[in-house]
Amino acid sequence: MSDVTIGILGLVAVLLLFLTGIELGFAMALVGVVGFAFIRSTPAALNLLAKDVFDVFSSYGFTVIPLFVLMGQIAFNAGIAKRLYDAAYRFVGHIPGGLAMATVVGATVFKAICGSSPATAATFASVAVPEMDRYNYDRKLSTGIVATVGTLGILIPPSVTLIVFGIITEQSIGKLFLAGILPGLIAAFFFLVIIFGWCRMDPRLGPPGERSTWRQRAAAVPEVAWIVGIFLLVIGGLMKGFFTPTEAGSVGSFAVLLYAVSRRDMGLRGFLKSVTESLRTACMVLILIAGSTILGHFLAVTRIPMHAADWIVTLPFHPNVIMVLIGFIYLLGGSFIDDLAFMVLATPIFYPVIVKLGYDPIWFGMIIAITVMIGVVIPPVAINVFVVKAITKAPFGVIYSGVLPFLLSLLVCAVLLFAFPQIALFLPSAFMR
Amino acid sequence: MGGFAKAVKDLSRFTNLLAGISLSFIMFLTVLDVILRQFRKPIVGTYELVGFAGAVVIGFAVPLTSWDRAQIYVDFFLEKLPKAWRNFMHLLTRGLSIALFGALGWNLIRIAMDYQRTGEVSATLQLPFYPVAYALGVVCFLQCLVLACHVYDILGGKYE
């Protein structure tokens, strides 16, 4: 049996193991070890297992993940999202669909310090949906927008998805963060346009709220200014090479903690809760990365990524068609497994293809990110929809019908990003040569 | 088994506490280093300390994360199976995971012994690698105990 055949069988085994309900990171590690033992030797495979896990866990570079997750968790537990939502409400709450728009604006600013998509969906499902219920918003709009708005965090830095992509492909996390800003803002703008248009067509969907005075609006500005300030400190420091990504995560976490403590929004109990929840998420992500590293070493000895790259570039299709197919594979895989897990599994295989086709790796990261955004709200594994359902108790049918228009806007956003890579590449090329 | 399971859970909570202390330590150490760098007095060896503490953060959080079944897994296929088949799948996956972490723990201890014998240390602070490797190895065995508790729950019909 050739090494390539063993590699393909290994990939099939990973996918079959996924269906047994085993933890995805464990499955990748198991197949990686067994496959490596089959090709090389059992002692070499066991040594690889221990060495890879030790290297991943003790790597300075990987500590960026728990730190940025901690930053988001502190912001989440300090109730900063509620303040941002209230601030946004002051400005747009009085127009039709205004509370849904306030959700988009509040979540976009919140995403600047919290990289978790389900955490944002959970926060705004708790904060914004009851408020929209009070003003008789249609549940289709209120639950649809909170489920979708969480996806913005996958593009807007500090995104955990982009950090993991950067680590797997050895791309600059600073560049990826910068590249995500414009597409993220465009997606947020599309959400606002859809809410506006949808409520114009059917005013019963989002009746206007109370108009705030300019004094109330002025009082809300500092809430947003602090968060934007922390975001600029973190991203600016990374961009200028003043911080490593790990330092940026530490400084960001510390700044959000200081802000929360100074506002008396967080005490020791809240901090401990944030740390505990961060450990859980970080452990989940790093076990995936450790498993993928072991599997990656097995695939490297089978030379599958190189063979796949050589084979795919000779296909009689335009490179753009191949890119669309790759995006579709990510979407399909992510819909059935878990988007982040599938990205960790598939990127080492497809990344050499992208490089060989001559595409920009940073742009590819953005395409993958927007694919993941779509993946977290489409069935069967639609984590954000599950979170919103659990909190609001709305039927799946209602949430999905509300998600649909926003999903279409994400597709338009993906097409725009595909047709005009400059949308993603402009900021990194302007600020990080 | 109740007392054993409680002891395993308490141990997992304890290692998770150590992981939390390490994460807080990384945050405060790095911020302090960034500040002191402005005064041209950086903390020597921060890079190495963060790497070592990072191993504790992730490695020591694994048992409690597994105890709570918070790792990512796919359940939509399992949900369609009858209970007996689901239990069989759970036993199979717990068994495979125990084998994985048993092998991982044993080999981490082995490389820790190698590090200790060869005296391998970090470049700046000359910190030995072996204590971290030993600690991760021991945590892998704790993870095996967590998975064994899962097996007990499956057999007792209390897993799902």
Side-chain angles (χ1 to χ4, degrees):
Chain A
M1 206 175 343
S2 73
D3 288 354
V4 174
T5 313
I6 295 169
I8 292 169
L9 287 175
L11 285 174
V12 173
V14 169
L15 294 174
L16 288 177
L17 264 181
F18 281 178
L19 296 180
T20 64
I22 195 171
E23 290 78 350
L24 306 188
F26 300 177
M28 288 192 271
L30 269 169
V31 171
V33 171
V34 173
F36 201 88
F38 200 76
I39 292 178
R40 293 284 193 261
S41 68
T42 305
L46 292 174
N47 196 47
L48 175 88
L49 171 70
K51 204 72 184 104
D52 276 354
V53 169
F54 184 78
D55 288 348
V56 168
F57 284 8
S58 62
S59 154
Y60 175 88
F62 287 132
T63 51
V64 63
I65 294 173
L67 289 165
F68 271 116
V69 173
L70 177 63
M71 179 176 166
Q73 283 297 339
I74 294 172
F76 176 72
N77 287 316
I80 288 175
K82 170 90 172 85
R83 290 178 185 280
L84 292 173
Y85 174 75
D86 288 344
Y89 171 80
R90 298 282 172 222
F91 288 88
V92 291
H94 62 284
I95 55 178
L99 279 90
M101 290 182 184
T103 306
V104 175
V105 177
T108 306
V109 181
F110 185 62
K111 294 317 301 184
I113 48 169
C114 175
S116 164
S117 182
T120 306
T123 311
F124 282 85
S126 316
V127 169
V129 173
E131 201 65 13
M132 287 191 264
D133 282 348
R134 200 157 67 86
Y135 282 93
N136 293 320
Y137 269 53
D138 193 309
R139 273 281 174 112
K140 201 163 53 176
L141 175 61
S142 61
T143 57
I145 190 60
V146 289
T148 324
V149 85
T151 65
L152 287 175
I154 294 166
L155 273 176
I156 295 176
S159 150
V160 173
T161 308
L162 292 182
I163 294 173
V164 173
F165 179 85
I167 289 170
I168 297 172
T169 59
E170 296 180 346
Q171 292 300 311
S172 154
I173 291 172
K175 276 188 182 176
L176 284 164
F177 277 2
L178 274 181
I181 293 176
L182 277 183
L185 291 178
I186 289 172
F189 175 72
F190 281 176
F191 290 170
L192 292 176
V193 170
I194 285 172
I195 294 167
F196 183 76
W198 207 6
C199 290
R200 285 287 285 227
M201 284 192 287
D202 185 356
R204 287 169 305 169
L205 283 174
E210 290 152 18
R211 182 184 284 274
S212 302
T213 63
W214 279 105
R215 183 185 291 269
Q216 286 171 317
R217 287 175 187 170
V221 170
E223 302 290 350
V224 181
W226 270 107
I227 302 306
V228 172
I230 293 172
F231 174 75
L232 290 178
L233 171 74
V234 170
I235 303 302
L238 256 180
M239 203 176 77
K240 292 288 172 200
F242 191 67
F243 302 143
T244 64
T246 296
E247 288 168 350
S250 288
V251 170
S253 299
F254 188 70
V256 175
L257 180 65
L258 271 186
Y259 172 74
V261 170
S262 69
R263 301 295 309 249
R264 296 181 191 280
D265 284 338
M266 178 163 283
L268 185 62
R269 192 184 292 267
F271 178 66
L272 291 177
K273 188 166 180 246
S274 305
V275 170
T276 307
E277 285 165 3
S278 308
L279 288 175
R280 183 173 295 206
T281 308
C283 178
M284 192 178 85
V285 175
L286 275 151
I287 283 284
L288 274 181
I289 293 177
S292 142
T293 305
I294 297 162
L295 183 70
H297 279 132
F298 158 57
L299 292 178
V301 295
T302 66
R303 297 185 54 80
I304 280 191
M306 290 68 109
H307 285 301
D310 289 342
W311 176 68
I312 291 174
V313 292
T314 58
L315 288 175
F317 301 122
H318 190 275
N320 286 350
V321 177
I322 295 173
M323 260 307 296
V324 171
L325 284 176
I326 290 174
F328 187 70
I329 291 170
Y330 271 82
L331 195 58
L332 202 67
S335 301
F336 282 93
I337 304 170
D338 169 273
D339 296 274
L340 187 66
F342 190 79
M343 187 186 86
V344 169
L345 174 69
T347 302
I349 299 168
F350 289 115
Y351 182 68
V353 178
I354 298 304
V355 173
K356 207 146 196 171
L357 287 173
Y359 287 111
D360 189 296
I362 300 286
W363 172 76
F364 177 59
M366 295 305 116
I367 293 287
I368 295 309
I370 209 157
T371 310
V372 173
M373 285 169 80
I374 295 169
V376 293
V377 285
I378 60 169
V381 184
I383 183 79
N384 278 20
V385 176
F386 297 166
V387 166
V388 172
K389 180 184 166 50
I391 293 171
T392 64
K393 313 288 179 218
F396 274 125
V398 171
I399 306 176
Y400 279 125
S401 62
V403 160
L404 195 62
F406 302 108
L407 192 60
L408 292 176
S409 79
L410 283 179
L411 280 173
V412 172
C413 207
V415 171
L416 278 178
L417 193 56
F418 197 87
F420 306 103
Q422 297 86 340
I423 294 173
L425 300 178
F426 169 69
L427 286 180
S429 61
F431 291 103
M432 289 183 80
R433 285 179 191 281
Chain B
M1 188 70 184
F4 175 71
K6 187 179 176 305
V8 172
K9 189 171 185 187
D10 287 347
L11 263 177
S12 305
R13 279 189 175 146
F14 176 69
T15 58
N16 205 63
L17 176 72
L18 295 179
I21 292 170
S22 282
L23 180 58
S24 311
F25 168 73
I26 291 176
M27 181 182 76
F28 290 118
L29 174 73
T30 315
V31 169
L32 195 61
D33 182 45
V34 168
I35 294 169
L36 289 177
R37 220 160 50 198
Q38 305 317 303
F39 304 101
R40 299 187 185 281
K41 291 198 183 310
I43 301 170
V44 178
T46 301
Y47 185 91
E48 290 164 6
L49 286 171
V50 168
F52 283 147
V56 175
V57 169
I58 302 306
F60 281 36
V62 171
L64 193 65
T65 309
S66 287
W67 182 279
D68 296 335
R69 289 222 78 189
Q71 302 283 3
I72 304 176
Y73 61 95
V74 176
D75 58 0
F76 74 88
F77 178 73
L78 275 186
E79 283 169 2
K80 297 190 188 331
L81 296 178
K83 190 168 171 56
W85 271 101
R86 283 207 305 274
N87 280 341
F88 171 73
M89 288 294 196
H90 291 321
L91 284 173
L92 176 74
T93 59
R94 296 313 85 193
L96 287 172
S97 304
I98 288 172
L100 176 72
F101 278 92
L104 177 59
W106 174 245
N107 283 281
L108 277 167
I109 301 269
R110 210 175 44 75
I111 65 166
M113 287 158 75
D114 283 348
Y115 283 146
Q116 191 174 9
R117 197 178 53 247
T118 55
E120 202 161 332
V121 292
S122 64
T124 312
L125 293 177
Q126 306 283 301
L127 293 171
F129 285 109
Y130 73 86
V132 179
Y134 273 125
L136 289 180
V138 170
V139 166
C140 285
F141 293 126
L142 176 59
Q143 165 75 355
C144 289
L145 296 180
V146 168
L147 294 164
C149 290
H150 284 179
V151 170
Y152 181 76
D153 285 346
I154 296 163
L155 295 175
K158 292 183 290 186
Y159 186 62
E160 291 183 341

